[in-house]
Amino acid sequence: MTSYRTRSIQLQDFGTPPTLTQHEIDAPTGSEVLVQVTGAGVCHSDLHLQDGYYDLGGGEHLSFKQRVTFPVTPGHEISGVVVARGEDATDATIGQEVLVCPWVGCGDCPRCIRGHENLCRNSQFLGVNRDGGYAEHVLVPHSRYLIELGDLDPARAAPLTCSGLTTYSAIGKFGNELNKEPLVIFGAGGLGLMAVGLLTIMGKARPVVVEIDPERRSAALAAGAQAAIDPTDGDADEQIRAAVGGPVLAILDVVGAGATFAQSYRLIEKGGRIVIAGLLGGDTRLQVPLIPMRSISIEGSYIGTLDELRELVTLVRTHGLPDIPVHTRALHEAPQAMEELRSGSVVGRFVLVP
């Protein structure tokens, strides 16, 4: 069988630094497609993978132990060029520039059959359960996970497959409410800035951003937010209500920490909705009777579906990519990029360009 020589950044175990390795990758067979990577976004979830767990608060963890086989190549925000295909991947074209949807399910469970492979309990996610995009090449299990890139810049477009899809799907859970009512967004990291940018090109009301870092607050205003508020200000809640100009009825938490949820729960008013898409970690206390008494909705949103990603790519091919900072790095700089992301010093998104 033909194979390809490639380089990738791999994790050898939880809690270890990523290393640059050179190895062989099998040629595609059947429905598989081999993609030469042109962009690979560096996502905070890659740090969770490196650590080996999500923080559930109170000293409890949700472990990756049963999900990951080492060595593994991280990276689930992938753009690239088709360089080889299996005999059954007839709808993939050599030389085709694509985005790769990494959210691969088992294909047989009720969630997958409904089109929600992102919720599959036997997932085969690229960059988690299978080798991902921190590499020169990635093997994609089926050509249906490829989406035509068109004239989009591959480095700037790569984050669409996670930060773009996650925020697009979460925004969709508010329905038409955001046409006039401003969304309050907790966090202005990669997800938060993407959410602001998408709301702008979707023609929604300009959001109010709540973010502790002053540089990220400035970036949120530049991306289209009408206000950017420091949650540590003594009157932060009053500032948020004033910026919304009425009751706070729509909150998107892309941090997903105990503190951000507690503030969201305190702010949300009768008939309002909180959607949580962040995974930073922690826990909180809920006063259960207030949920029905205020008739509030609290909903989780985990990534998004393949169909939603196709919708998102159509949107940005028509209206342009969200105007957020994208910083490119060479493949061998991935370990440094991950550490900078961990430090909280990154404004926008890192993208590796092998």
Side-chain angles (χ1 to χ4, degrees):
M1 179 185 294
T2 304
S3 62
Y4 293 80
R5 192 72 173 166
T6 193
R7 295 186 308 151
S8 66
I9 297 290
Q10 292 190 326
L11 294 172
Q12 305 297 325
D13 201 350
F14 297 129
T16 62
T19 56
L20 182 65
T21 64
Q22 196 169 70
H23 56 96
E24 299 292 322
I25 186 170
D26 291 338
T29 61
S31 64
E32 295 176 333
V33 179
L34 186 68
V35 172
Q36 182 175 332
V37 177
T38 52
V42 180
C43 178
H44 205 278
S45 292
D46 300 330
L47 304 183
H48 292 303
L49 175 66
Q50 182 183 27
D51 294 339
Y53 62 87
Y54 290 111
D55 175 15
L56 299 181
E60 296 186 49
H61 294 157
L62 177 63
S63 175
F64 278 85
K65 188 173 182 180
Q66 304 302 320
R67 301 174 58 193
V68 178
T69 300
F70 293 104
V72 66
T73 301
H76 51 267
E77 295 185 341
I78 309 166
S79 62
V81 179
V82 175
V83 293
R85 66 185 187 188
E87 61 274 14
D88 297 329
T90 54
D91 56 345
T93 304
I94 304 301
Q96 181 183 17
E97 295 188 68
V98 296
L99 283 174
V100 178
C101 179
W103 313 116
V104 178
C106 71
D108 297 322
C109 70
R111 299 171 188 83
C112 288
I113 291 169
R114 291 199 303 264
H116 293 277
E117 292 184 71
N118 55 306
L119 303 180
C120 178
R121 296 186 67 177
N122 299 300
S123 60
Q124 292 298 308
F125 293 168
L126 302 184
V128 182
N129 314 108
R130 301 169 59 112
D131 285 338
Y134 285 18
E136 293 174 329
H137 298 86
V138 61
L139 191 63
V140 182
H142 199 286
S143 56
R144 69 191 186 89
Y145 297 105
L146 306 181
I147 300 173
E148 185 73 41
L149 194 61
D151 58 0
L152 297 176
D153 177 84
R156 293 187 61 82
L160 291 176
T161 65
C162 179
S163 65
L165 176 59
T166 296
T167 51
Y168 179 77
S169 182
I171 288 168
K173 290 174 171 60
F174 292 95
N176 294 324
E177 299 169 21
L178 304 182
N179 291 341
K180 294 182 179 180
E181 297 172 5
L183 178 64
V184 175
I185 301 173
F186 276 83
L191 285 174
L193 292 180
M194 182 68 78
V196 174
L198 287 178
L199 288 164
T200 300
I201 66 174
M202 293 168 74
K204 304 294 186 181
R206 294 173 64 197
V208 174
V209 170
V210 184
E211 166 59 51
I212 196 169
D213 184 85
E215 287 188 60
R216 290 181 176 181
R217 290 200 299 272
S218 296
L221 293 171
Q226 63 165 303
I229 295 163
D230 185 345
T232 64
D233 286 349
D235 62 345
D237 288 3
E238 290 73 16
Q239 290 184 53
I240 294 166
R241 293 187 181 101
V244 169
V248 178
L249 296 173
I251 296 177
L252 172 59
D253 182 356
V254 292
V255 179
T260 55
F261 178 76
Q263 190 169 11
S264 298
Y265 184 67
R266 187 171 67 240
L267 281 166
I268 200 71
E269 300 197 37
K270 283 188 174 182
R273 179 184 301 272
I274 301 171
V275 175
I276 306 166
L279 295 167
L280 185 61
D283 57 9
T284 192
R285 175 175 171 268
L286 289 178
Q287 296 136 336
V288 177
L290 293 182
I291 298 174
M293 288 173 66
R294 290 191 289 170
S295 191
I296 62 175
S297 300
I298 302 170
E299 186 173 1
S301 188
Y302 187 59
I303 324 168
T305 68
L306 177 56
D307 284 343
E308 286 176 317
L309 182 56
R310 291 191 180 111
E311 291 173 10
L312 173 59
V313 173
T314 298
L315 175 72
V316 300
R317 287 184 64 177
T318 302
H319 297 284
L321 286 162
D323 187 16
I324 64 173
V326 172
H327 317 281
T328 58
R329 295 288 187 272
L331 181 62
H332 71 270
E333 296 177 294
Q336 179 184 350
M338 292 174 71
E339 286 309 305
E340 288 185 52
L341 183 61
R342 189 183 294 278
S343 74
S345 64
V346 180
V347 178
R349 208 69 167 174
F350 274 141
V351 177
L352 307 177
V353 284

